[in-house]
Amino acid sequence: MFRRTRRLALISAIAAIAIVLSACAGGGTEPEPTAPIGEPDPDATLQVGLVLEPTNLDIRHTSGAALEQILIDNIYEGLVSRSQDNEIEPRLASDYEVSEDGLTYTFTLNDGIAFHSGAALTSADVVASYEAVRTDATLQGNAEFASVASITAPDPTTVQIVLSAPNQNFLFSLTGPAGLVFQTGDTTDLKTAENGTGPFTLTRWSKGSAITFARNEAYWGEPAGVAEVEFQYIPDFTAGVNTALDGGVQVLTAVDPNLAPQLEDSGDFTLTTGRTTDKATLAFNNAKAPLDDVRVREALRLAIDHDALVAAVGAGSTLYGPIPELDPGYEDLSDVVSYDPEKAKELLAEAGQEDLELTLTIPSFYGTTVPKVLISDFQKVGVTLDVDSVEFPTWLEDVYTNRDFDLSFVLHVEPRDFGNFANPDYYFGYDNAEVQSLYAEALAEVDPDASADLLAKAARIVSEDHAADWLYNGATITAVSPQVTGFPKDSINSRINLAGVTVAAEK
């Protein structure tokens, strides 16, 4: 059996930013962390600047990074969670075992866990929460529970989940909304209130402005390091920087690279550049001519100067395949394609597409930097690129749902989402039986290393097929006051675990 254990301790922090903002982050030398200016103040308030505010707080029925970012690990918890490196670690479970055939998962709960209502958590609550996910198609994670055959509670501290077939991603899916545990029979209106087990409770939500958490004094684990957290929602990047410089927040996330020097030069903040699983994807409509011709797709990739694009964006790193560094199966695929405009012209001529005109459909909130670079690069090889900047609901309707597009740009922020390229019905329109077979084998493989090898093989095929172009691997720039210690750096597009963060008392 595979077994993971953990002593009760401070759980490592992770952070999150919303889908529309994970625009970049890059190379360069990280600054030395600034030493805290005083002893931690347990009565302090931590003020964090974010950009995308949730529309409601019902994480069971509503998708979106804005919810996961603040609620998972702070308000709600699952049996397992994940580290900043996307490694799975126990949470409500003190340990877990996976049978050698990869079908049976057995979890042992930590002692003394209670919901914010005061009710004790037992294995029955876990079973009820997960049965709801398994049987209710309206709940987040329902599709991820498709292979679950049974969920039982042999005793009050044990939960056993049996799958009908091995699924290498199942345990990871429990680190997201699908794996959160709720009180059985609870009638809390989750759109505006909560009843979790986490180290913080919700105290108020001033819609359009801020959400405030307070330390849960009855938390079953290590108590949070601050008495209160205030998430301030500042959708304008410049306004966010001004708020930080005026002392309105001690941490500003999703800093625009072009504005970062203002914060750094002030001497009041340290800037960190954090890794993410954001894949800045230039999608090709593989099912539509002329993009159904691999020569055309390869030519477009060869025409793009990826290093210059990353420099124009202001941060980030090149990415030549569908799997980022933080996900299983990552391999440096820079050998597949390089910047070669002359070869691009030859391929376009061979395909009879010397005077090609294409349209890029892009959600308007991504700005103009990427389209400008692509227009310039494509023009050099004889391709005219028209840009259709649309509101996100329009993008969802036209591109994601109706597949009515040539090229599209969007940040795919979700970890472990390679399965999109193994799904011929996904909006990419990419259909490769070998990739689909390898992905199915990777999911069914119980050995994580062997599974990652299969994913890497499939990812190389996808890149060699030029099914899309991955313009860069995004990351986030965060400005942190020297008063603050322990604020997460990596994976902050997924969630912000703030239990271990402290704020120093002012001298």
Side-chain angles (χ1 to χ4, degrees):
M1 287 187 174
F2 303 102
R3 183 180 180 88
R4 300 286 178 89
T5 61
R6 178 194 75 163
R7 294 179 63 87
L8 252 179
L10 186 64
I11 302 172
S12 55
I14 30 189
I17 212 68
I19 180 171
V20 300
L21 305 170
S22 355
C24 38
T29 303
E30 281 294 324
E32 290 296 321
T34 303
I37 61 176
E39 291 298 318
D41 178 6
D43 297 322
T45 295
L46 173 67
Q47 295 164 311
V48 181
L50 303 179
V51 181
L52 189 65
E53 182 179 13
T55 56
N56 70 76
L57 301 180
D58 186 358
I59 197 169
R60 301 202 84 184
H61 293 90
T62 309
S63 63
L67 279 176
E68 295 188 37
Q69 179 179 34
I70 64 170
L71 295 183
I72 295 181
D73 290 338
N74 292 319
I75 297 293
Y76 299 111
E77 299 173 300
L79 294 176
V80 290
S81 187
R82 58 182 186 252
S83 70
Q84 291 186 62
D85 293 326
N86 275 346
E87 295 294 329
I88 299 168
E89 57 189 19
R91 185 77 182 202
L92 292 177
S94 60
D95 63 80
Y96 62 87
E97 297 178 353
V98 183
S99 62
E100 292 182 1
D101 61 6
L103 296 178
T104 303
Y105 293 73
T106 304
F107 302 88
T108 302
L109 296 178
N110 278 299
D111 297 328
I113 302 173
F115 291 98
H116 296 161
S117 65
L121 179 146
T122 71
S123 56
D125 294 298
V126 181
V127 171
S129 298
Y130 290 4
E131 272 293 329
V133 173
R134 186 178 73 87
T135 58
D136 186 346
T138 70
L139 291 185
Q140 293 297 307
N142 171 261
E144 297 165 358
F145 273 43
S147 62
V148 174
S150 66
I151 310 165
T152 57
D155 59 59
T157 62
T158 305
V159 175
Q160 190 169 85
I161 301 174
V162 179
L163 306 184
S164 57
N167 183 346
Q168 183 63 224
N169 277 348
F170 178 70
L171 195 61
F172 191 83
S173 73
L174 294 184
T175 69
L180 300 178
V181 178
F182 298 84
Q183 183 180 338
T184 305
D186 185 37
T187 58
T188 299
D189 181 0
L190 298 183
K191 290 184 177 180
T192 57
E194 57 83 12
N195 181 22
T197 60
F200 293 98
T201 61
L202 172 70
T203 55
R204 59 186 176 275
W205 181 12
S206 302
K207 291 189 177 182
S209 176
I211 294 176
T212 305
F213 294 169
R215 179 169 50 223
N216 175 15
E217 301 294 351
Y219 184 55
W220 61 272
E222 294 284 340
V226 294
E228 192 175 64
V229 177
E230 182 182 84
F231 299 104
Q232 295 186 24
Y233 290 97
I234 313 169
D236 181 80
F237 290 149
T238 300
V241 169
N242 291 335
T243 298
L245 292 174
D246 290 341
V249 295
Q250 300 121 323
V251 177
L252 182 67
T253 63
V255 176
D256 185 319
N258 297 314
L259 301 175
Q262 296 182 40
L263 293 163
E264 192 167 34
D265 294 346
S266 73
D268 295 329
F269 293 91
T270 296
L271 299 185
T272 64
T273 301
R275 298 173 299 164
T276 75
T277 55
D278 297 1
K279 299 158 291 291
T281 306
L282 179 64
F284 302 150
N285 191 340
N286 287 257
K288 178 183 179 182
L291 294 160
D292 58 348
D293 188 328
V294 67
R295 295 170 297 183
V296 174
R297 301 194 301 268
E298 182 179 4
L300 295 178
R301 297 188 73 194
L302 290 166
I304 300 169
D305 186 342
H306 292 82
D307 290 327
L309 189 146
V310 169
V313 168
S317 57
T318 53
L319 180 68
Y320 296 96
I323 298 180
E325 185 179 359
L326 289 176
D327 279 352
Y330 170 76
E331 179 187 2
D332 180 359
L333 294 175
S334 57
D335 62 301
V336 174
V337 67
S338 59
Y339 179 49
D340 193 339
E342 292 306 314
K343 184 177 179 182
K345 292 178 185 178
E346 292 173 7
L347 285 171
L348 289 170
E350 184 181 319
Q353 300 291 343
E354 293 98 329
D355 298 313
L356 183 59
E357 184 172 344
L358 296 169
T359 298
L360 172 72
T361 306
I362 179 172
S364 56
F365 52 66
Y366 286 122
T368 61
T369 300
V370 168
K372 285 180 178 178
V373 172
L374 293 178
I375 289 171
S376 176
D377 283 351
F378 287 169
Q379 189 176 43
K380 293 172 185 175
V381 299
V383 174
T384 300
L385 184 66
D386 299 318
V387 177
D388 186 12
S389 179
V390 300
E391 295 301 313
F392 193 60
T394 301
W395 182 90
L396 286 172
E397 179 71 17
D398 293 348
V399 177
Y400 187 80
T401 301
N402 294 332
R403 323 296 198 251
D404 183 14
F405 74 105
D406 297 330
L407 309 179
S408 180
F409 174 81
V410 74
L411 284 165
H412 284 268
V413 307
E414 297 83 359
R416 303 197 186 195
D417 64 352
F418 175 77
N420 293 337
F421 287 96
N423 177 8
D425 295 325
Y426 199 66
Y427 81 93
F428 299 150
Y430 177 67
D431 189 355
N432 184 302
E434 185 178 6
V435 169
Q436 293 157 23
S437 177
L438 285 168
Y439 182 65
E441 289 180 52
L443 289 183
E445 174 56 63
V446 297
D447 180 82
D449 292 335
S451 176
D453 289 342
L454 290 165
L455 288 173
K457 185 176 180 180
R460 177 168 285 276
I461 294 171
V462 169
S463 188
E464 290 175 343
D465 272 352
H466 309 289
D469 189 78
W470 301 272
L471 298 175
Y472 58 88
N473 187 180
T476 54
I477 299 175
T478 304
V480 184
S481 163
Q483 286 182 272
V484 177
T485 300
F487 195 87
K489 169 185 166 184
D490 293 325
S491 299
I492 63 173
N493 63 332
S494 303
R495 61 193 64 177
I496 306 175
N497 181 340
L498 293 174
V501 178
T502 60
V503 176
E506 295 186 12
K507 293 183 177 178

